[in-house]
Amino acid sequence: MCQLTGYTGAMRSDTSPWLDDRQQRVWRQWLQSNARLTAALARQLSQDSGTSLADFEVLVHLSESPEGRVRIVQLADTLQWERSRLSHHLTRMEKRGLVERQGCTEDGRGAYAVLTDEGRVLIEQVAPGHARTVRDLFFGELTDDELAALDRFTAGLLARLDQR
Amino acid sequence: MCQLTGYTGAMRSDTSPWLDDRQQRVWRQWLQSNARLTAALARQLSQDSGTSLADFEVLVHLSESPEGRVRIVQLADTLQWERSRLSHHLTRMEKRGLVERQGCTEDGRGAYAVLTDEGRVLIEQVAPGHARTVRDLFFGELTDDELAALDRFTAGLLARLDQR
DNA sequence: GCCAAGTTGTTGACGTGTCACCAACGTTAG
DNA sequence: CTAACGTTGGTGACACGTCAACAACTTGGC
């Protein structure tokens, strides 16, 4: 995804922008595994319950909050979504009866997203299958050392991304 | 993204579907780093050249093929895209002058996607910046051992995904 | 109290991805 | 040959994400 034929050999050096062969392979594996893992999880959710990964994230965050209620700003912050995206998404989920909106008495501008009973039933039905899929596909039979190494890598990657 | 409050302690066991605390942390880190890495790469491409990650993938695959020409089916297979998605995307890129379509003499049904001169200029301008961003953000200052560990993990993950 | 500036949430327009369907063509069995 | 079937690529409808703009509200300085 990142290397043009012909430049490979000629331009490789410490100061060139290119990736070496091993980096190349790892990078493409990362892209591939990501795409396919996401697709597998989405398929599993969709088949089991007709929900998308986005729906699932919203439902989980609501269900983890007291009374299944979260201020919409805070939800957008946590999910790292744009407000308008969340607003559109809540509208769609509201139509399906999974969430509701409530006005906010403390701040006249604000609003809460609230999990409905139907939404809570759904998330409790769906979560175990999702967790199992993640465990089987993502973690597999990793050893403790391998898990620790992965932990260090993702933590380091996040730190690098934070620096920007 | 995968654990409902309240179930955490009670249901953890070898046969339960849930993730333990460390798996939980690593999984959320993986999701986070993915989302943010993708966003960073997209931002870089968009600012530098007005292209999306999807545009970039198409351009790279075309530029890596002889005469910048690939059968559309094959391109869809390589990218793991739906044909209709690729068809729509090629239409949009065609309007911007980055690619063209050519009929196929060997197979009357078939068609080629062809890189235009303009498209080739663009990809050659954009690729170095992209590669540099990947190297800086994704690989950072990884040691050889860390890189090898990452290689093993992504390879294993892909193998697990293939088994399905 | 009052005005300027910032915050919260929503909306509409637009670009893009997915799905179902279709036309055109190739391939193969009879 | 031809009828049946699979393949290739395209189209329209719809779902979704982003952006710009907006109304309603709060906050802080005066």
Side-chain angles (χ1 to χ4, degrees):
Chain A
M1 316 289 191
C2 42
Q3 179 84 50
L4 290 168
T5 311
Y7 293 88
T8 313
M11 301 196 57
R12 189 173 304 139
S13 82
D14 281 355
T15 60
S16 95
W18 303 110
L19 308 179
D20 64 35
D21 289 343
R22 194 205 223 167
Q23 288 176 329
Q24 187 83 208
R25 190 183 63 245
V26 173
W27 175 236
R28 295 202 183 205
Q29 277 175 359
W30 169 277
L31 290 174
Q32 272 282 315
S33 48
N34 245 309
R36 293 169 62 182
L37 181 58
T38 306
L41 290 172
R43 206 178 319 124
Q44 186 257 329
L45 277 180
S46 167
Q47 284 176 358
D48 284 13
S49 61
T51 55
S52 65
L53 277 169
D55 295 332
F56 187 73
E57 287 189 69
V58 171
L59 291 176
V60 167
H61 278 287
L62 289 182
S63 73
E64 285 179 345
S65 303
E67 304 170 52
R69 241 171 49 129
V70 180
R71 272 295 293 276
I72 292 185
V73 217
Q74 190 194 327
L75 188 53
D77 273 5
T78 313
L79 295 173
Q80 303 222 60
W81 285 11
E82 303 227 351
R83 303 228 179 116
S84 69
R85 174 184 175 186
L86 180 55
S87 181
H88 283 306
H89 206 95
L90 288 176
T91 304
R92 293 186 290 257
M93 293 180 75
E94 212 170 1
K95 279 182 190 153
R96 293 191 284 150
L98 301 177
V99 300
E100 283 174 1
R101 294 187 218 242
Q102 276 180 3
C104 177
T105 51
E106 309 91 85
D107 187 334
R109 300 164 299 180
Y112 286 96
V114 194
L115 200 57
T116 61
D117 291 344
E118 196 181 337
R120 188 172 295 278
V121 168
L122 182 66
I123 184 63
E124 289 181 357
Q125 279 177 350
V126 167
H130 179 75
R132 188 182 293 281
T133 309
V134 170
R135 224 188 40 179
D136 292 350
L137 283 182
F138 184 74
F139 290 106
E141 306 293 330
L142 284 197
T143 65
D144 234 48
D145 284 350
E146 289 170 333
L147 188 53
L150 180 59
D151 191 356
R152 278 194 302 276
F153 174 72
T154 53
L157 180 47
L158 275 180
R160 255 168 277 145
L161 288 161
D162 266 336
Q163 275 185 325
R164 295 218 159 179
Chain B
M1 317 287 190
C2 42
Q3 179 84 51
L4 290 169
T5 309
Y7 293 87
T8 313
M11 302 194 57
R12 187 173 308 139
S13 81
D14 281 356
T15 60
S16 95
W18 303 110
L19 308 179
D20 64 34
D21 290 343
R22 195 206 223 167
Q23 288 177 329
Q24 188 83 207
R25 190 182 63 244
V26 173
W27 175 236
R28 296 202 182 204
Q29 278 175 357
W30 170 277
L31 289 176
Q32 272 282 314
S33 46
N34 244 309
R36 294 170 60 182
L37 181 57
T38 306
L41 290 172
R43 206 178 319 125
Q44 186 258 327
L45 277 180
S46 167
Q47 283 175 359
D48 283 13
S49 63
T51 55
S52 64
L53 277 168
D55 295 332
F56 186 72
E57 286 189 69
V58 170
L59 291 175
V60 167
H61 278 287
L62 289 181
S63 73
E64 285 179 344
S65 303
E67 304 170 53
R69 244 173 44 132
V70 180
R71 274 295 294 274
I72 292 184
V73 218
Q74 190 194 328
L75 189 54
D77 273 6
T78 313
L79 295 173
Q80 304 223 61
W81 286 12
E82 304 228 349
R83 304 230 180 111
S84 68
R85 173 183 175 187
L86 181 54
S87 180
H88 282 305
H89 207 95
L90 288 176
T91 304
R92 293 186 289 257
M93 292 179 75
E94 213 170 1
K95 279 183 191 154
R96 293 192 284 149
L98 301 177
V99 299
E100 283 173 2
R101 293 187 217 242
Q102 276 180 3
C104 176
T105 51
E106 309 93 82
D107 187 334
R109 299 165 300 181
Y112 286 97
V114 195
L115 200 57
T116 61
D117 291 344
E118 198 180 338
R120 188 173 294 278
V121 168
L122 182 65
I123 183 63
E124 290 181 356
Q125 280 177 351
V126 168
H130 180 75
R132 186 181 295 280
T133 308
V134 170
R135 223 188 41 180
D136 291 351
L137 283 182
F138 184 75
F139 291 106
E141 306 293 330
L142 283 196
T143 66
D144 234 48
D145 284 352
E146 290 170 332
L147 188 54
L150 180 59
D151 190 356
R152 279 194 302 276
F153 174 72
T154 52
L157 180 47
L158 275 180
R160 255 168 276 146
L161 288 161
D162 266 334
Q163 275 184 325
R164 297 219 157 178

